[in-house]
Amino acid sequence: MVNDTADSTVAEEIHLARSGRTRSRVLEALKAAANPLSGEELGEAIGVSRVAVWKAIQALTRFGYRIDSAHGGYRLVESPKDALYPWEFSEYPGTIRRWDETDSTMNRAREAALEGARSGTVVLAERQSAGRGTKARTWESPAGGLFFTVITRPTTHVTEIHREVLRMQCALAESLASRAASRAGVLWPNDVAVRSGAESPWEKAAGVLAEYLVTGSSVEYLALGVGVNTGTRPSIPGAASVSASRADILRDALAPSRESPGELVKRWNALCPLVGKPVDYSLAPGAETASAEGARTGVFLGTDYRGFARIADTDGEERSFPPGMISLLNKGRKP
């Protein structure tokens, strides 16, 4: 089910979902057709009236699709470049809610989740005026970036919720490696980084933010916020921008993953360039420089099945740290 707004009543949302499905089916038919299709042919093919087809064509035209209505039928001439409209993702079984601009997709996702949004609901925006990062930081959201939040209702125990961050990191890193022809990797706890060459530093191209509501040990909902720098490069040090289709990255990120926790950990560890290498870390939350007081040195061993960092100290003792307990200094961006 797809819809193109979240500022609606339940009845309006049902109507928008239906209209979104009609647009999606009309668009699919036009893309697949070798010759122009009449309104009657389109209606019969997708099971709607000619009036519904006409309304869908008018709506698609308003959203920037060039559709020629000459020669006895409709013909798709051109689609908006890298469009993120819900009807472009007809293969996705969940609801997609899109904004031209909002303060943060995480805020809209929280509202939707508390109102009972179904698992799999996606909130996305072309622009964010107050994007959110970890530790109350701002996520810079320059033009052309990909900004979305996925709402799920997992049955995972709260102590294992970070595993879902790992899953999203893997999907993003693999997508960037394929779509942007980049060397891409994952960095603990929530970054996705790229590098231009074997001697170049790792630079942050994407991040994942988790927010969840817990009752006892049960997770009522999980919101995974994602920002991918596919547009203008952010101004913050150590950031990178990649050249890739936002729509393709979104499809990759939303593709189902049914691997076991053990398989996921192996996948993540294989994508992390820090595994087996010395790292500096601090028990001071938020510390990010190598001069941070109390800095320690160890060997990063990857994550465990919960998504906790495993570090072997200089004395050989292995310790596990949940997200938020330590900071990896420089986040592995040194060559």
Side-chain angles (χ1 to χ4, degrees):
M1 180 172 69
V2 295
N3 57 279
D4 56 349
T5 181
D7 296 326
S8 61
T9 63
V10 172
E12 289 171 336
E13 184 164 320
I14 292 173
H15 168 72
L16 289 165
R18 289 173 178 168
S19 64
R21 283 196 294 267
T22 301
R23 294 173 198 174
S24 177
R25 291 169 182 170
V26 167
L27 189 59
E28 283 183 343
L30 291 176
K31 287 181 177 180
N35 300 304
L37 296 174
S38 68
E40 183 176 1
E41 289 173 320
L42 280 168
E44 290 178 354
I46 65 178
V48 298
S49 68
R50 291 178 63 182
V51 172
V53 169
W54 180 84
K55 289 182 178 180
I57 295 289
Q58 295 302 304
L60 290 170
T61 301
R62 289 197 304 271
F63 282 103
Y65 295 84
R66 288 182 55 200
I67 300 174
D68 186 354
S69 58
H71 310 296
Y74 297 107
R75 181 174 66 90
L76 179 65
V77 178
E78 186 179 8
S79 296
K81 184 179 180 181
D82 203 21
L84 292 179
Y85 296 121
W87 47 85
E88 287 281 354
F89 302 89
S90 59
E91 73 282 4
Y92 184 64
T95 299
I96 296 179
R97 305 182 180 189
R98 176 189 177 277
W99 272 259
D100 284 334
E101 182 173 352
T102 191
D103 53 358
S104 169
T105 60
M106 290 294 285
N107 293 343
R108 301 291 79 76
R110 181 197 297 131
E111 294 168 353
L114 293 176
E115 290 170 359
R118 294 181 179 180
S119 184
T121 297
V122 178
V123 176
L124 65 85
E126 290 287 342
R127 296 177 297 279
Q128 293 186 124
S129 58
R132 291 164 47 192
T134 56
K135 300 184 176 73
R137 299 188 185 98
T138 298
W139 180 270
E140 192 173 331
S141 306
L146 174 61
F147 317 112
F148 68 95
T149 299
V150 184
I151 301 168
T152 59
R153 299 188 181 276
T155 56
T156 306
H157 191 276
V158 64
T159 59
E160 301 172 2
I161 203 68
H162 193 71
R163 209 159 53 208
E164 298 310 307
V165 174
L166 305 187
R167 197 180 305 277
M168 180 61 75
Q169 283 182 285
C170 290
L172 293 171
E174 291 165 352
S175 181
L176 293 185
S178 172
R179 308 290 185 181
S182 300
R183 293 178 174 86
V186 296
L187 300 176
W188 192 86
N190 65 334
D191 288 350
V192 178
V194 296
R195 68 193 310 189
S196 57
E199 301 302 320
S200 302
W202 290 94
E203 296 179 311
K204 184 172 180 175
V208 184
L209 176 64
E211 179 179 277
Y212 48 92
L213 176 65
V214 177
T215 300
S217 60
S218 299
V219 180
E220 296 294 329
Y221 78 84
L222 167 66
L224 285 183
V226 175
V228 186
N229 301 331
T230 51
T232 304
R233 179 173 179 164
S235 60
I236 59 175
S241 180
V242 295
S243 178
S245 163
R246 298 180 304 164
D248 286 341
I249 296 172
L250 181 59
R251 288 188 179 93
D252 293 340
L254 298 180
S257 173
R258 298 182 176 87
E259 62 202 336
S260 68
E263 292 170 335
L264 173 61
V265 168
K266 289 180 180 178
R267 180 184 175 197
W268 192 96
N269 288 339
L271 287 168
C272 180
L274 293 184
V275 173
K277 297 183 179 179
V279 292
D280 296 327
Y281 68 98
S282 173
L283 293 176
E288 290 192 349
T289 63
S291 61
E293 293 184 10
R296 303 183 181 187
T297 299
V299 175
F300 186 71
L301 303 178
T303 69
D304 63 15
Y305 73 98
R306 300 164 298 182
F308 289 16
R310 298 171 53 223
I311 296 179
D313 281 344
T314 52
D315 59 6
E317 182 178 354
E318 181 182 327
R319 294 178 172 85
S320 295
F321 302 97
M325 184 174 179
I326 63 170
S327 292
L328 294 183
L329 307 181
N330 298 308
K331 295 188 178 180
R333 294 193 177 96
K334 291 181 179 179

